[in-house]
Amino acid sequence: MPRSTDRQADPAAATASLAAEAALLEGRLRLLREAIDTVDARIDAVSEALRQLQHSVAQPADGRKHPGGETDGTRLDHSRSGRP
């Protein structure tokens, strides 16, 4: 039965090809991990800024609390995002 022409007959060439492909994939994986780390850091920074904003809105400048503990309807709605 004849061999398929799309298969490489030389095991050394196949090994070299696979090693090159693995190196490319590892490089792409490293870039993706770095991008994920960047996005995670940005999410953390925005979350902290929102917490600080929420805290500053929750306490009026005169130091008194809003009636009923509400913040004049400016509370953040976390029901959709699932974030604290």
Side-chain angles (χ1 to χ4, degrees):
M1 185 174 226
R3 283 188 148 176
S4 174
T5 56
D6 62 345
R7 290 187 184 182
Q8 293 190 3
D10 183 11
T15 301
S17 175
L18 289 172
E21 188 172 349
L24 275 173
L25 291 173
E26 287 174 352
R28 288 180 184 163
L29 180 60
R30 188 172 30 258
L31 287 174
L32 287 172
R33 284 183 176 154
E34 289 171 2
I36 289 170
D37 289 344
T38 300
V39 170
D40 281 345
R42 184 70 181 136
I43 288 171
D44 290 342
V46 170
S47 294
E48 181 59 28
L50 288 172
R51 275 191 291 279
Q52 289 176 2
L53 179 62
Q54 185 178 18
H55 180 71
S56 68
V57 169
Q59 294 183 1
D62 60 8
R64 293 183 300 167
K65 291 187 177 182
H66 290 284
E70 288 300 317
T71 57
D72 298 332
T74 57
R75 296 193 57 151
L76 298 177
D77 179 11
H78 298 289
S79 61
R80 288 188 180 181
S81 67
R83 294 187 63 87

